[in-house]
Amino acid sequence: MSGDDQGRNHWFDDEAGPVVRPYAMTRGRTTSEGQHRLDLIAVVVTELDADDPETDPTLSPEHVDIVGLCRDEPQSVAELAAELDLPIGVVRVLIGDLVHTGYVHVTRPVPPAELPDESILRDVINGLRAL
């Protein structure tokens, strides 16, 4: 086997196909334009009036997959990463791209500091039971 063949086989698996490094999918970016911090439980929803992503030449197949998955039902960032079998960092960049281009929007969970105090909720429940 020549040196060239060894190099090619190192980056190719007959069962899996060619290996694509995650940074190649994001063009080396670790953040996207206008990207906010996306928690693992942030929910991604396809915009109702979004164009068909398959007709947009600027989107990668992974972008199209994300829009398709979120069109069926809203998905968390963690669910998308698991479904696409991609690292969270890559999925965050791709989602940021889609938010910027208007294909999806993200709803973030309420920060724990903004949640009502547990004692208040207990008081409300007790008050309802007393009715």
Side-chain angles (χ1 to χ4, degrees), residues 33-130:
E33 189 174 325
Q35 179 181 349
H36 305 288
R37 186 173 180 329
L38 294 174
D39 294 327
L40 294 176
I41 59 173
V43 177
V44 182
V45 181
T46 300
E47 293 290 353
L48 294 175
D49 59 347
D51 295 333
D52 182 9
E54 292 186 24
T55 62
D56 189 337
T58 64
L59 297 180
S60 69
E62 293 78 19
H63 285 113
V64 174
D65 290 343
I66 289 171
V67 173
L69 288 169
C70 296
R71 182 166 281 140
D72 295 337
E73 70 178 276
Q75 302 277 323
S76 72
V77 174
E79 289 172 320
L80 288 170
E83 183 70 30
L84 298 171
D85 196 24
L86 292 173
I88 291 289
V90 171
V91 173
R92 284 179 172 151
V93 172
L94 297 174
I95 292 169
D97 294 344
L98 292 169
V99 168
H100 179 71
T101 56
Y103 283 97
V104 301
H105 69 272
V106 177
T107 57
R108 291 171 183 79
V110 176
E114 294 180 19
L115 291 173
D117 185 26
E118 186 176 329
S119 64
I120 294 173
L121 294 175
R122 282 192 187 137
D123 290 343
V124 169
I125 290 171
N126 291 335
L128 290 172
R129 285 185 183 150

